[in-house]
Amino acid sequence: MTDSLKAVYIKTYGCQMNVYDSGRMLDIMRPHGFHHTDDINTADVIILNTCTIREKAAEKVYSELGRILILKNERTKLGKETVIVIAGCVAQAEGKEVIRRAPFVDIVVGPQSYHNLPMLLEQIKRNKSWIVKLDFEENNKFDLLPEELGKGSSISFLSIQEGCDKFCHFCVVPYTRGAEFSRPVSNIYREALIMAKNGVKEIILLGQNVSAYRGLPPDIVEDHDIDHKIHKDLKNQENNTIIISDIQKNHKKNDNFNYWSLSKLIENIANIKEIKRIGYTTSHPIDMLNDINLIFLHCTEKKLMPYLHLPVQSGSNKILKSMNRKHTREEYFQIINLFRKYRPDIALSSDFIVGYPGETDDDFADTIDLVKQIEYSQAFSFKYSARPGTPASEINNQIDEKIKDQRLQILQELLRKQQMIFNLQKIGDEMEVIFEKPGKKNGQVIGKSPYMQSVVCDGSLDIIGEIMNVKIVDAKQNSLFGKII
Ligand code: SAH
Ligand code: SF4
Ligand code: F3S
């Protein structure tokens, strides 16, 4: 590795947590002289931030690695070195297997240890042999909060929670991301303040189950008045490194804290003037009623977006039980009805799995019936994919691929129809749109509605980063068209 080794290309697979992590990897590497490039051909470091939620997602990584090997060899001929890093959930789930299948990979690093990347890159320079680092470390990736967080974006993700303790029988996440851990309130609040200072207007709070958020309250970090103290603390910060590991150690010893719920955290972030909109994802039905204030907040807190992504996976009680989801379809309806009562215009979204082991035509009909009753604004649906090591992969009654294909098609057609209806209903409405990027055509800009829809408007690029009132004049399957008022 030469000293000119500085351009980093990063490709992100999987969920929003990975999108957030990719941003953080670049943040962590920047002070060490690395810069981001969109061109893989000129990259000195290539990072694949991977996902293993379904078999296809994991296999994509190996086919991409095939292409990268060709590139690496070409660069070697020109005397240029290329360091290849596999990060994310494939790394965590099958680190050694990655090296076996692709021995030209230099570094394998898990989602809880990527803050070590600068050090690992240094090590590679010295040793030249590959490194696998997959620890779940106490000294964690959230300790460092760079001043550039959110720069250049009007909308930003903010990870508030890691891992998952739910162990749904189909899912690898509890194994790849580890035990559920909520970031302390003050650490999240600081990150939100930095984002606000850098022009972010909308923050989406992220986690696998943010409805189970239980954050260490700021008063164990600072003594009295919370907001005042946090502001003061931020001003006093001499460098931008905040060590929260000691607080976490403490937290393990003492379980009597008055933890903050998601709703309390949202109320607190809503106090930041520059932040105009707050969203959260993903929620799990079984935690939804523990924080009843969250539902009321959708009625009382103007900054909270009228959007709820609440995955149900299946409409059949038999399948829900077999999936270990720990709730019934009736309970899911109850939760949705409550949200609709306090926020009638709320946009609803979900995830679905079709072809889970043992799913009969009747079970699938229950899913279709649930979708018809709820009427979603959008949703994600997948064919069940057996993942090694998960309990569902060992059930005998696996479903034929052809049947999975048919069911997926039927479900997706219905969901597409519902999305179109939801979008059409918005024609004539006025709403606040946060503008994010240029449109495909010249003279167009694309923004986001409070209901998570893309909104295309005629306008100058100067309005990117602004929030404006827009009248919706047309709707398509995946976007709205509006006029700036
Ligand atoms: N924590 C979130 C989901 C994270 S994974 C939740 O509980 O809702 C995102 C989605 O991927 C899941 O909701 C599920 O629909 C899908 N998924 C997870 N494992 C899968 C598997 N083995 N096969 C197919 N889809 C899967
Ligand atoms: Fe996976 Fe279930 Fe956890 Fe979601 S709640 S991440 S589906 S185990
Ligand atoms: Fe994939 Fe890991 Fe997210 S498996 S969905 S990248 S938590």
Side-chain angles (χ1 to χ4, degrees), residues 164 166-168 170-171 173-174 208-209 284 325:
C164 179
K166 300 281 189 285
F167 291 94
C168 301
F170 50 82
C171 186
V173 172
Q208 291 298 352
N209 296 295
H284 190 296
R325 290 290 288 183

Side-chain angles (χ1 to χ4, degrees), residues 216-382:
L216 270 181
D219 54 357
I220 76 134
V221 189
E222 289 100 357
D223 280 333
H224 0 246
D225 179 48
I226 293 158
D227 294 345
H228 168 71
K229 274 283 190 181
I230 291 174
H231 277 286
K232 202 171 121 213
D233 194 55
L234 194 75
K235 274 191 211 130
N236 286 346
Q237 242 173 265
E238 274 167 19
N239 58 36
N240 53 18
T241 308
I242 296 154
I243 303 297
I244 58 169
S245 332
D246 285 345
I247 303 167
Q248 282 162 23
K249 271 182 222 141
N250 219 347
H251 156 57
K252 280 176 195 140
K253 271 186 254 143
N254 184 348
D255 210 29
N256 295 327
F257 298 123
N258 202 3
Y259 291 102
W260 280 32
S261 63
L262 177 64
S263 63
K264 199 163 174 188
L265 181 73
I266 291 172
E267 281 178 300
N268 197 245
I269 293 175
N271 287 331
I272 304 175
K273 199 172 88 251
E274 296 85 351
I275 301 299
K276 306 291 181 199
R277 283 203 317 224
I278 303 167
Y280 59 92
T281 195
T282 300
S283 312
H284 190 296
I286 62 167
D287 300 305
M288 272 340 248
L289 300 180
N290 293 340
D291 184 11
I292 209 85
N293 192 38
L294 183 67
I295 301 179
F296 303 146
L297 215 55
H298 273 281
C299 175
T300 56
E301 177 50 68
K302 283 217 177 73
K303 291 188 180 180
L304 185 55
M305 295 163 77
Y307 176 87
L308 174 67
H309 179 66
L310 192 64
V312 65
Q313 315 297 355
S314 167
S316 151
N317 277 335
K318 182 191 96 193
I319 296 297
L320 286 173
K321 189 155 200 285
S322 172
M323 286 177 164
N324 194 30
R325 290 290 288 183
K326 304 186 188 90
H327 67 85
T328 61
R329 70 183 254 135
E330 291 75 21
E331 283 160 341
Y332 186 80
F333 279 123
Q334 267 171 13
I335 298 165
I336 296 292
N337 289 341
L338 263 175
F339 273 87
R340 280 217 161 115
K341 182 172 166 194
Y342 288 94
R343 188 73 209 221
D345 66 331
I346 197 161
L348 296 170
S349 160
S350 179
D351 293 345
F352 295 92
I353 294 177
V354 299
Y356 185 80
E359 186 187 68
T360 61
D361 285 343
D362 280 351
D363 295 319
F364 178 62
D366 283 347
T367 299
I368 293 294
D369 175 71
L370 178 143
V371 174
K372 284 186 175 159
Q373 288 195 48
I374 303 261
E375 298 178 349
Y376 289 98
S377 70
Q378 63 162 93
F380 305 91
S381 43
F382 313 99

Side-chain angles (χ1 to χ4, degrees), residues 331-468:
E331 283 160 341
Y332 186 80
F333 279 123
Q334 267 171 13
I335 298 165
I336 296 292
N337 289 341
L338 263 175
F339 273 87
R340 280 217 161 115
K341 182 172 166 194
Y342 288 94
R343 188 73 209 221
D345 66 331
I346 197 161
L348 296 170
S349 160
S350 179
D351 293 345
F352 295 92
I353 294 177
V354 299
Y356 185 80
E359 186 187 68
T360 61
D361 285 343
D362 280 351
D363 295 319
F364 178 62
D366 283 347
T367 299
I368 293 294
D369 175 71
L370 178 143
V371 174
K372 284 186 175 159
Q373 288 195 48
I374 303 261
E375 298 178 349
Y376 289 98
S377 70
Q378 63 162 93
F380 305 91
S381 43
F382 313 99
K383 285 191 287 181
Y384 168 73
S385 167
R387 306 308 291 126
T390 57
S393 68
E394 280 152 31
I395 302 176
N396 283 329
N397 199 354
Q398 300 286 328
I399 304 297
D400 192 79
E401 276 306 303
K402 269 199 201 126
I403 294 178
K404 287 188 201 170
D405 282 329
Q406 285 164 3
R407 289 181 184 163
L408 188 67
Q409 212 186 336
I410 294 167
L411 175 62
Q412 290 190 335
E413 199 170 310
L414 175 61
L415 290 167
R416 266 198 299 274
K417 254 188 217 151
Q418 295 192 344
Q419 184 180 27
M420 191 68 223
I421 291 170
F422 185 83
N423 287 350
L424 284 170
Q425 283 166 349
K426 294 284 172 271
I427 295 180
D429 285 5
E430 283 178 19
M431 56 180 78
E432 284 187 339
V433 171
I434 296 183
F435 287 96
E436 264 196 296
K437 54 187 178 198
K440 280 194 196 119
K441 292 186 192 154
N442 257 348
Q444 281 187 338
V445 264
I446 299 181
K448 219 169 107 199
S449 84
Y451 306 94
M452 293 280 190
Q453 299 145 298
S454 272
V455 185
V456 184
C457 290
D458 288 334
S460 92
L461 297 184
D462 299 346
I463 63 169
I464 291 172
E466 299 298 318
I467 182 162
M468 294 200 165

